[in-house]
Amino acid sequence: MLTDAFIKLRDTRAVQLISAFFRSPWYLAINVLLMICAELFSLELPVFYIYLVFILTVFLFDEDMLGVLVLIPCHYLAISAANNPGKHEETLFSDPSQMVHLIVLICIYIVLFLARLISLILIGGKRKTPELTFGFLFFSAALILGGAFSGYWGKRTVIFSLVEIVSLAAIYFYFYFAVNWKNVPGHYGMMLFLTLGAGVAVQIVGMYFMPGAIAGSVVHRESFYTGWGIYNNVGCVMAMCLPAPFYFAIRKKEGWIFALLGIAFYLAVLLSQSRNAMLFGTVIFAVCVVVVLAKTKGWERWKSLIAFGAFALVAAIATAVFFDRVKILFSSIGAAGFDDSLRFDTYRACWKRFLEAPWFGSGFYHTPGTVLQPDGMWTTMEGAAETGFMPPRAHNTLFQLLASGGVFMIIGYVFHRVQTGILLFRRPTAEKTFTALCVLALLFTSLLDCHFFNFGPGLLYSALLVFGEGCNLRRGARSMFSLQDFRKRNKN
């Protein structure tokens, strides 16, 4: 903001150093490290105030709001297990004194975000309409009208739909206009998801230390949760981050090191104990391996091939030698087997509800949904949820759309999906290809769960889309800044 009012500030060494820092991998790593500390040790408020300092610095001294983008998913992923409102009665969100801090922070964020956006639009001149605008508008209308003319449409469905729209689209539209994409460092989006994935992997390890997670030499995945979701939610986010290290495996010298990191990410997906994430994460992992081997050459390809081969060999030997321990580690998966947790019953109920109101559906709060009970058992709810904001959901995107919004919502979703496909696959680049794989991880896991209609994954989805469009807007972008680059540019 100050650099907009006082142009000469942009040429000062201090401001250039600040800009370099906010575009560096070190800044991303610091924020993710803070996120880990907040989630593991219930330090949300102190960390949020540190994030506020970063936001204020970006607001005052940086050329745009790029440095704030990482902080949005970090806020979401920083909520600790001790403050999970679905698991505990006394949390950060039930304490009035703590809520005052959160409300004040939210109000400050809103003011800063809006003021900076207005400033950037005024000084930035005209910019073309974002490529996904009409698809988002159509799909948003379909969400809001879900249940219309069925007798079930009402205020609750509209409010839920609006929040859903914000989670899916807000980051995309805000940062499209609030970032000068021509100056965004190359690889920034993939570096963001690489660091986020590392943070979530640490949180997955932390879940094994939860009370009841390991009892009597048996792993109980029902006790695996963070402040922002249970093992299924964590597995989904980890799967969305899985392609990021493989991008660097084909773009960086000694890329086999990133291939090893990608293998570590895949192991984190397996350790999440989510069958859904394990299934589709394996598909994404296999695609990434094929892409890496196809796109690398010479010794780089051989090094990556050796890394993948060594992983397969070690995994096979370890499973054979330590079979009993591996069996204990995944005992919850073995016990669940092919149990569908009432999903197919829910799908049949959704189809029946669709036939009753085929054009606009029955709305979110009258869509049959699969619900996890406190005792760890699943049940199907076919009526409206009487309490709580989140409605029961179908655990499948197609059946959710059919029952909640009928044909109109399906058409809106397909229109949006076609536009995202064109965005990510037209004029392909390596960055757009791996961004598409991150998006596909969400879409695949949403075939057996409700992740697309959870707000957290929606934020990551929105960020991926704006990075995809940023690739089209960026021309001749520089690679990630480092402090060494800054020193070289300012040597006299």
Side-chain angles (χ1 to χ4, degrees), residues 146-147 150-154 156-157 349-350 352-354 356-357 361-369 381-386 391-394 399-400 402-405:
S150 68
Y152 297 128
W153 187 79
R156 295 182 74 194
T157 291
C350 285
K352 180 180 178 182
R353 188 59 55 86
F354 164 68
E356 294 171 357
S362 301
F364 287 101
Y365 290 91
H366 289 268
T367 294
M381 294 184 63
E382 296 196 37
E386 298 297 334
R393 279 149 297 157
F399 285 105
Q400 182 76 57
L402 285 170
S404 299

Side-chain angles (χ1 to χ4, degrees), residues 260 263-264 266-267 270 285 305-317:
L260 289 177
I263 292 170
Y266 176 58
L267 290 175
L270 299 181
F285 174 72
L305 183 61
I306 291 170
F308 296 135
F311 165 65
L313 181 62
V314 170
I317 294 174

Side-chain angles (χ1 to χ4, degrees), residues 384-443:
E386 298 297 334
T387 60
F389 177 72
M390 298 298 291
R393 279 149 297 157
H395 284 65
N396 175 278
T397 302
L398 176 61
F399 285 105
Q400 182 76 57
L401 295 169
L402 285 170
S404 299
V407 172
F408 186 60
M409 193 176 289
I410 287 287
I411 295 173
Y413 177 78
V414 170
F415 185 23
H416 170 63
R417 188 56 55 232
V418 169
Q419 283 204 320
T420 58
I422 293 172
L423 171 70
L424 295 174
F425 292 107
R426 184 180 60 185
R427 291 177 293 177
T429 65
E431 190 172 0
K432 288 171 68 175
T433 297
F434 281 90
T435 298
L437 287 173
C438 293
V439 171
L440 286 173
L442 172 62
L443 300 184

